[in-house]
């Protein structure tokens, strides 16, 4: 009986949100933190920044492993009229972000890169979500931040949590993109790289 050897899957991110999303595919995976400088380059657009960092993270983690691996790198940058908004990191920065975003349309660029060095496979894709922010008050901002403390979330508005009350509308081609990992393009690229979630499940969980 012959078996198919699947490459080892690594998520190049310590984000718990991305880990929870990737778990939906039912694939076993390891988590490794990429050592990448996330500072934007001079004149770099938010979309270009997200794409560059996603690929850099994937390659940085791939370089740490010598076996046959498929590595996922991802990055999300909030775009307010061409100005990148990253993770606020603290309360004061989150207040400033949400104040600037009030009543505005914000683009959340979520880039994903999948690489498999053994076969020289490398691909990147972008999923952009348009979020129309509401006309919330300063008190709303303070209450939300004290309750949610979304200081590790780009743009400070965590849509999968209480932050949804600050939003008016979400327009997206992938419902998981805004959370941090667009699973539709990710799954497509994993298949192209030789790691098909359904094939893996069929092999390890055959029907009786």
């Amino acid at each position: 009986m012959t078996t198919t050897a699947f490459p080892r899957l690594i998520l190049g991110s310590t984000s718990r949100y991305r880990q929870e999303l990737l778990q939906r595919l039912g694939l076993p995976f390891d988590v490794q933190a990429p050592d990448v400088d996330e500072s934007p380059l001079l004149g770099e657009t938010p979309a270009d920044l997200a794409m560059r960092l996603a690929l850099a993270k994937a390659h940085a983690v791939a370089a740490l492993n010598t076996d046959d691996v498929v590595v996922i790198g991802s990055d999300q940058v909030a775009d307010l009229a061409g100005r990148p908004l990253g993770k606020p990191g603290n309360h004061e920065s989150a207040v400033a972000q949400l104040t600037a975003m009030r009543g505005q349309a914000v683009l959340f660029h979520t880039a994903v890169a999948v690489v498999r060095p053994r076969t020289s496979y490398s691909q990147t894709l972008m999923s952009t979500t348009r979020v129309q922010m509401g006309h919330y008050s300063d008190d709303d901002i303070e209450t939300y931040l004290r309750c949610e403390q979304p200081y590790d979330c780009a743009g400070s508005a965590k849509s999968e949590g209480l932050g949804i009350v600050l939003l008016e509308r979400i327009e997206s081609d992938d419902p998981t993109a805004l959370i941090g990992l667009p699973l539709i393009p990710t799954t497509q690229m994993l298949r192209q790289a030789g790691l098909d979630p359904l094939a893996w499940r069929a092999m390890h969980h055959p029907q009786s």
Side-chain angles (χ1 to χ4, degrees):
M1 179 179 178
T2 60
T3 59
T4 301
F6 288 94
R8 184 164 61 96
L9 179 61
I10 303 176
L11 176 62
S13 171
T14 56
S15 164
R16 67 180 186 273
Y17 311 114
R18 294 192 178 106
Q19 292 177 37
E20 291 169 358
L21 288 170
L22 188 56
Q23 287 171 355
R24 296 186 188 184
L25 301 184
L27 293 169
F29 64 91
D30 298 324
V31 173
Q32 294 183 10
D35 183 12
V36 172
D37 182 357
E38 300 190 19
S39 303
L41 302 177
L42 183 63
E44 190 172 35
T45 67
D48 288 343
L49 172 62
M51 191 71 83
R52 178 176 62 82
L53 291 180
L55 188 59
K57 291 176 180 180
H59 281 298
V61 169
L64 300 175
N65 299 271
T66 58
D67 56 328
D68 188 12
V69 296
V70 170
V71 181
I72 299 172
S74 186
D75 192 79
Q76 183 181 81
V77 178
D79 178 349
L80 178 60
R83 178 164 63 94
L85 301 178
K87 300 172 184 177
N90 57 54
H91 185 84
E92 291 72 22
S93 295
V95 169
Q97 284 189 351
L98 290 173
T99 300
M101 294 161 62
R102 179 163 41 204
Q104 303 296 312
V106 183
L107 300 178
F108 286 81
H109 303 294
T110 309
V112 59
V114 173
V115 301
R116 184 181 183 183
R118 185 69 58 87
T119 63
S120 299
Y121 179 85
S122 178
Q123 184 64 267
T124 56
L125 284 172
M126 174 80 75
S127 182
T128 297
T129 303
R130 184 182 186 275
V131 176
Q132 180 62 46
M133 304 300 295
H135 295 274
Y136 39 79
S137 67
D138 290 347
D139 286 342
D140 291 336
I141 293 176
E142 287 294 334
T143 299
Y144 164 66
L145 291 179
R146 296 299 180 188
C147 292
E148 192 91 301
Q149 299 185 13
Y151 307 132
D152 61 347
C153 175
S156 304
K158 192 182 296 183
S159 64
E160 68 273 26
L162 186 59
I164 198 71
V165 303
L166 304 180
L167 314 183
E168 284 189 358
R169 186 170 63 256
I170 297 175
E171 301 171 9
S172 178
D173 57 7
D174 188 325
T176 60
L178 189 57
I179 304 174
L181 183 67
L183 287 181
I184 293 175
T186 298
T187 302
Q188 293 170 349
M189 289 189 289
L190 286 177
R191 283 177 159 174
Q192 293 168 6
L195 189 51
D196 187 327
L198 292 179
W200 190 94
R201 295 294 291 272
M203 174 170 290
H204 292 84
H205 301 278
Q207 295 181 354
S208 57

